[in-house]
Every structure is written in structure tokens, then in C-alpha cells.
Amino acid sequence: FPRQPDRVAIVTGGTDGIGYSTAKHLARLGMHVIIAGNNDSKAKQVVSKIKEETLNDKVEFLFCDLASMMSIREFVRKFKMKKIPLHVLVNNAGVMMVPQRKTRDGFEEHFGLNYLGHFLLTNLLLDTLRESGSPGHSARVVTVSSATHYVAELNMDDLQSSACYSAHAAYAQSKLALVLFTYHLQRLLAAEGSHVTANVVDPGVVHTDLYQHVFWGTRLVMKLFSWLLFKTPDEGAWTSIYAAVTPELEGVGGRYLYNEKETTSLHVTYNQKLQQQLWSKSCDMTGVLDVTL
């Protein structure tokens, strides 16, 4: 990939797993990388390690708890105080198959953190992304979904999974919502003619700490056969990096990418009415102005 010395990226969840690998590789390309995460204790070590490995001093950490709308707004306020552009936003952070519990704002955690947190963060940063993109050098929003979205259902009457909680179903629904969000965001950006694109990526099955909440037998199988069945975090990050920097995707949005290639997402994700309904409901939940009404 071409070097990116004058571009700025934010990577959520950049202290661990795929997010760490994404931040590291973007830094290696010369980007100014801001890691957004809630692991304060690990941040200093991670930033030092990336700086050392990439010989890039433009790597920093800003606290952002995606399970708290107040924390997200504070993160955006601090970022904007830096008076720097934003060319790439990688919505990577997430939780997987956690027990039933709520975010600080009262949302089911998968839906609230994986989806709503990134919905709010992206919307609050859109003005900076628009100002930073230019003809031939678009700003990019890259959102990490998962193949689990193929088995998900979006229950518009119970987005919080309160009627019947299943950790797997709640996780899958949050990843489905991210695909719908990306497609609708791309339509909005294209309609206004801004130089910002939005794509969604599927990293594949990657061996990371996200699996800490799955059944112990599954973890044992993972430990024994991870070399055969699972990608490494570096391999899992590759499609995110591709979407963030490849010249092939200049000006191209609304794509679902797997192994650096466009593929088809679940058929319901192309339903524009459902995209709009989810967007409007998300605006209500996060206090974002719904410009599509």
C-alpha cells in the first residue's frame, strides 16, 4: 500500500486484537494514528510498542468508552481541540457474547457498544471527515462487522433483546445493524456529494480475546486448533487496512468486503426502508439530528 504520511486515522479498540494490528499497520504506513479505547492501563504500553515497531512517533491514545454516550462526546471534544483533520475512522471495537447487561445509558451491551456507540461516534465526527476529504483523496469510514450477521435478525420492536436474551443473537444483531448503518450512511454521503466513503468489512474468524465469554469447551477447541481454524489478528486486520488505504477503493463506498474483495451481505441489508427505520431509531436513541426525515 502507498505510504500515508499526511493522513490521520482513529481506530476504536486499538489496544487489542484486530484493532491493535490495524493501528500498527496504519502507523507503519506513516499515518498519525489515534487509538480510541477504554483500557487506560494498557494504553501507554501499546502506544510505546507501536512507536518502537513502526518508527512512527505520531501514535497516541485517547480514552473513549463506547458504552457511554457522555464518554464518546468527551472523546470527540478532545479530538476536535487538536485542530487536526480526520481521513480514516475505523469502527473496530466490540464485545462478543457477553452475559446480559446494560451500558451506562441503559442499552443492551452488544447493541449499545458495538452498534450505537459507533453510530454516535461516526455522526459526531462526520463534519471533520467532510472537511478532510477532497477530490481524489476521500476520507473513509471503515466499519468492522462479522459473518454472524448472515444468521441475524433485526427486531425493530425489541432492539435491546429484552424479551428473550441470547448472547449469540444479540451479538449477531449488532453486527447486522452495522451493515445497515454503513449502507445508509453511504447513501447520505453520496447524495450530498461529500468526499467521504463508508464501507463495511468482515475480518473472518480471528483468534482474539473476544472469545473469553464463549463456552469453555469451545475455548479448548480454539486453543488446540487455532492454527488451523482461525486467522491471526494481523490476518484479520488486513481487510480493514485495505479498506482504509487502497487506491482501488478511492471514491467507492457501500461495499461489504471480505478478504479484500467485495461480496454480498445478507439480502435484508439492502432494504432501504429498513436502513432508514434503523437510522431514525438510532438518532432518537443517541440524540443525533435525523437529517433524512
Side-chain angles (χ1 to χ4, degrees):
F1 294 127
R3 292 201 36 91
Q4 315 275 317
D6 300 316
R7 288 171 77 80
V8 180
I10 290 174
V11 180
T12 68
T15 57
D16 298 279
I18 297 172
Y20 170 77
S21 293
T22 302
K24 179 179 67 177
H25 285 291
L26 293 180
R28 189 166 282 148
L29 290 171
M31 274 194 178
H32 178 171
V33 177
I34 295 164
I35 294 170
N38 63 355
N39 195 337
D40 260 332
S41 59
K42 198 173 183 180
K44 189 174 180 181
Q45 175 192 348
V46 164
V47 168
S48 296
K49 189 176 179 186
I50 293 177
K51 284 181 176 181
E52 185 180 329
E53 286 188 22
T54 64
L55 303 179
N56 181 352
D57 282 334
K58 295 180 296 181
V59 181
E60 57 183 303
F61 174 86
L62 269 183
F63 184 85
C64 182
D65 182 358
L66 285 162
S68 162
M69 289 194 284
M70 183 183 295
S71 178
I72 294 167
R73 291 181 183 277
E74 179 64 10
F75 168 85
V76 172
R77 186 188 70 80
K78 287 182 177 177
F79 171 76
K80 290 185 176 181
M81 282 176 62
K82 293 177 178 292
K83 305 291 184 185
I84 58 175
L86 177 63
H87 304 99
V88 174
L89 170 62
V90 183
N91 291 322
N92 165 86
V95 293
M96 178 179 174
M97 305 218 288
V98 297
Q100 188 172 17
R101 58 195 189 198
K102 293 184 177 181
T103 67
R104 284 168 179 74
D105 304 294
F107 301 116
E108 186 278 317
E109 190 167 355
H110 293 97
F111 187 78
L113 191 158
N114 295 1
Y115 169 66
L116 274 184
H118 285 119
F119 176 89
L120 177 60
L121 179 67
T122 303
N123 273 281
L124 294 178
L125 291 170
L126 271 182
D127 55 348
T128 308
L129 286 160
R130 289 188 186 102
E131 291 166 7
S132 306
S134 60
H137 298 280
S138 296
R140 304 183 183 196
V141 178
V142 178
T143 297
V144 181
S145 181
S146 161
T148 57
H149 92 273
Y150 287 110
V151 297
E153 291 183 20
L154 192 74
N155 186 345
M156 290 299 295
D157 296 321
D158 187 20
L159 291 171
Q160 309 305 319
S161 306
S162 53
C164 180
Y165 184 76
S166 156
H168 183 272
Y171 173 72
Q173 178 181 245
S174 73
K175 292 300 182 178
L176 173 59
L178 287 168
V179 182
L180 288 156
F181 154 70
T182 298
Y183 291 167
H184 192 67
L185 175 60
Q186 176 58 34
R187 286 201 297 121
L188 293 179
L189 293 167
E192 68 186 25
S194 65
H195 299 292
V196 184
T197 61
N199 288 298
V200 61
V201 301
D202 177 352
V205 184
V206 184
H207 192 188
T208 71
D209 289 342
L210 275 180
Y211 288 90
Q212 62 184 299
H213 294 287
V214 301
F215 175 60
W216 69 267
T218 306
R219 292 202 302 275
L220 178 61
V221 170
M222 286 178 61
K223 196 166 275 189
L224 293 173
F225 297 104
S226 62
W227 62 275
L228 181 64
L229 301 174
F230 297 89
K231 291 182 177 182
T232 66
D234 276 350
E235 291 168 339
W238 200 243
T239 302
S240 294
I241 300 157
Y242 171 83
V245 302
T246 181
E248 294 173 19
L249 288 177
E250 174 52 45
V252 177
R255 304 290 194 270
Y256 186 91
L257 303 166
Y258 174 64
N259 284 346
E260 298 94 66
K261 294 204 168 40
E262 181 184 356
T263 188
T264 305
S265 54
L266 185 66
H267 65 91
V268 75
T269 59
Y270 300 102
N271 183 326
Q272 293 186 7
K273 184 178 179 183
L274 186 60
Q275 293 170 12
Q276 170 68 66
Q277 287 175 337
L278 177 63
W279 185 277
S280 294
K281 203 151 193 173
S282 303
C283 286
D284 288 342
M285 291 173 169
T286 58
V288 169
L289 178 66
D290 189 353
V291 296
T292 63
L293 289 176

